[in-house]
Amino acid sequence: QVQLLESGGGLVQAGESLTLSCAVSGSIFRVYTMGWYRQPRRGTGIARESVALITPSGTTSIKDSVKERFTISRDNDGNTVVLQMTTLKPEDTGVYYCNANIQLQNRTVVDSWGQGTHVTVSS
């Protein structure tokens, strides 16, 4: 019924930038909060964590450790969310997942996830 299509991951060196994009499609009535989560590298003992969220009105919530380097935005139709990441660090490495809280055409509300996109930052 709903798909979240992510793009933009890759391998970069420390200090470089990447932009992740996620587009929602399907039987959508309304898209509420959207955001990005990340699963750090294995062995860190860190579970999937919230990186940045944005509401339909544009209010954002960004993880403290990336606040000065990452920016989240949505396009005008509200169905695409973009995470701009600058001055990347090795600790930013992980799988980044797009998340969206969506009301379907049948008015059911679902919490949907993308398939994940890999970001690797080498030192």
Side-chain angles (χ1 to χ4, degrees), residues 8 30 59 70 82:
R30 185 174 297 162
T59 300
F70 290 11
V82 173

Side-chain angles (χ1 to χ4, degrees), residues 8-67:
L11 170 64
V12 297
Q13 293 187 335
E16 294 183 338
S17 301
L18 275 176
T19 298
L20 306 183
S21 181
C22 172
V24 179
S25 63
S27 302
I28 300 164
F29 176 71
R30 185 174 297 162
V31 182
Y32 297 112
T33 297
M34 300 183 73
W36 290 92
Y37 291 72
R38 71 183 177 194
Q39 177 70 55
R41 288 175 291 189
R42 291 181 181 180
T44 62
I46 302 174
R48 188 178 297 187
E49 57 185 4
S50 173
V51 176
L53 304 174
I54 185 168
T55 68
S57 65
T59 300
T60 61
S61 175
I62 302 176
K63 182 179 174 62
D64 284 344
S65 63
V66 305
K67 190 170 293 185

